[in-house]
């Protein structure tokens, strides 16, 4: 199993993890939007994605394809907050996607890096460098300018997306800490997250009234080949997205994961305008996107400089024995 020191010693793996997460995250926005246009039960969809993830990792471990360890109750207790924050983030994000267009959703979610930066300071991680701070502030400024020039005010949509930003910030910070302190791999954190999510999600779909109507609608739509294809792709991409997100957070940092999300958002926003339409392009919006992208590139350069200036990390005796 890979540990934190091995991840930090491999810049190539850090780059692959970040790029993979960016691609998976961008694809997932459009896949979720496509399936929610046909199947509006977002909580049931999330439950199916988590069930598919847990089953895949379980069978992979039993057949020897993954080296993930079995369930440890003490570890499960420590990771329970991660699971709760993760599911709250996805639930509110899916709820916002049901009523808002993709460019609006992405613009609001781009505020996550600023929230992660603030959370990192208050959690004792330390003060970031001046360049990192300024680049993240530039990203946030670009988001605000783009939103002012692009979107009509939607209280429900903004509320859902902003709540999702809060929960995403909390779980990314916790994932980064869990991977570093507990020596867990991305697959193991993903399995615990899915395993712990299922009771919570099943309770929610029952208490909110989605079940059994959502299940009946799912069976009714199973006759449609196009719906089944989108559903299967959604389940697969849910697994891929979770794996790349946890990997990127452990290998890099919570802030890096959110910045990757910001940069992929530029491509998602452009595709959202081209493929989905219905959104008027204004000068303020274009200006905001340019500022946003410049901030992301500046951050990438600042983090590269910071990483190159760090001396090689000495592996402790505990870490050496864990290899």
């Amino acid at each position: 199993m890979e540990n934190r020191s091995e991840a930090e010693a491999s810049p190539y793996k850090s780059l692959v993890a970040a790029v993979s997460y960016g691609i998976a995250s961008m694809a997932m926005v459009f896949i979720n939007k496509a399936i929610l246009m046909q199947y509006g039960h977002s909580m049931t969809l999330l439950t199916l994605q988590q069930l598919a993830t847990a089953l895949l990792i379980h069978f992979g471990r039993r057949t020897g394809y993954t080296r993930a360890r079995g369930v440890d109750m003490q570890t499960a207790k420590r990771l329970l907050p991660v699971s709760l924050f993760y599911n709250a983030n996805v639930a509110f994000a899916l709820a916002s996607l049901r009523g808002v267009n993709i460019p609006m959703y992405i613009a609001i979610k781009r505020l996550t890096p600023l929230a992660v930066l603030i959370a990192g300071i208050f959690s004792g991680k330390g003060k970031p460098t001046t360049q990192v701070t300024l680049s993240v502030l530039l990203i946030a400024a670009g988001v605000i300018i783009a939103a002012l020039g692009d979107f009509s005010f939607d209280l429900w949509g903004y509320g859902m997306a902003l709540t999702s930003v809060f929960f995403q910030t909390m779980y990314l910070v916790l994932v980064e800490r869990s991977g570093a302190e507990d020596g867990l791999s991305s697959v193991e954190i993903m399995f615990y997250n899915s395993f712990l999510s299922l009771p919570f999600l099943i309770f929610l779909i029952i208490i909110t009234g989605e079940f059994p109507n959502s299940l009946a609608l799912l069976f009714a739509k199973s006759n449609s080949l196009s719906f089944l294809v989108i559903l299967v792709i959604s389940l697969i991409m849910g697994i891929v997205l979770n794996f790349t997100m946890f990997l990127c957070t452990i290998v890099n940092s919570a802030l890096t994961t959110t910045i990757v999300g910001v940069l992929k958002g530029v491509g998602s926003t452009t595709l959202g305008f081209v493929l989905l339409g219905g959104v008027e392009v204004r000068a303020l919006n274009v200006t905001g996107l340019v500022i946003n992208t410049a901030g992301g590139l500046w951050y990438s350069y600042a983090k590269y400089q910071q990483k190159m200036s760090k001396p090689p990390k000495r592996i402790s005796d505990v870490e050496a024995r864990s290899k």
Side-chain angles (χ1 to χ4, degrees), residues 16-95:
V16 171
V19 172
S20 299
Y21 169 65
I23 295 173
S25 182
M26 182 167 63
M28 197 61 186
V29 172
F30 290 93
I31 292 170
N32 279 336
K33 183 69 175 180
I35 194 169
L36 287 172
M37 291 173 67
Q38 301 185 48
Y39 185 77
H41 299 290
S42 57
M43 294 303 300
T44 302
L45 177 62
L46 176 57
T47 304
L48 292 174
Q49 290 175 345
Q50 295 289 46
L51 179 61
T53 302
L55 289 176
L56 180 65
I57 297 176
H58 173 71
F59 287 121
R61 188 175 68 243
R62 296 296 293 269
T63 56
Y65 282 100
T66 64
R67 291 180 291 175
R69 293 168 291 186
V71 176
D72 177 74
M73 293 310 298
Q74 292 300 320
T75 303
K77 289 179 182 179
R78 289 195 298 270
L79 290 179
L80 182 59
V82 174
S83 179
L84 294 177
F85 284 130
Y86 171 84
N87 286 284
N89 161 59
V90 178
F92 279 101
L94 289 174

Side-chain angles (χ1 to χ4, degrees), residues 309-322:
S309 63
K310 282 184 179 181
K313 182 179 177 181
R314 177 174 296 177
I315 301 176
S316 66
D317 293 338
V318 175
E319 289 174 325
R321 285 195 297 268
S322 69

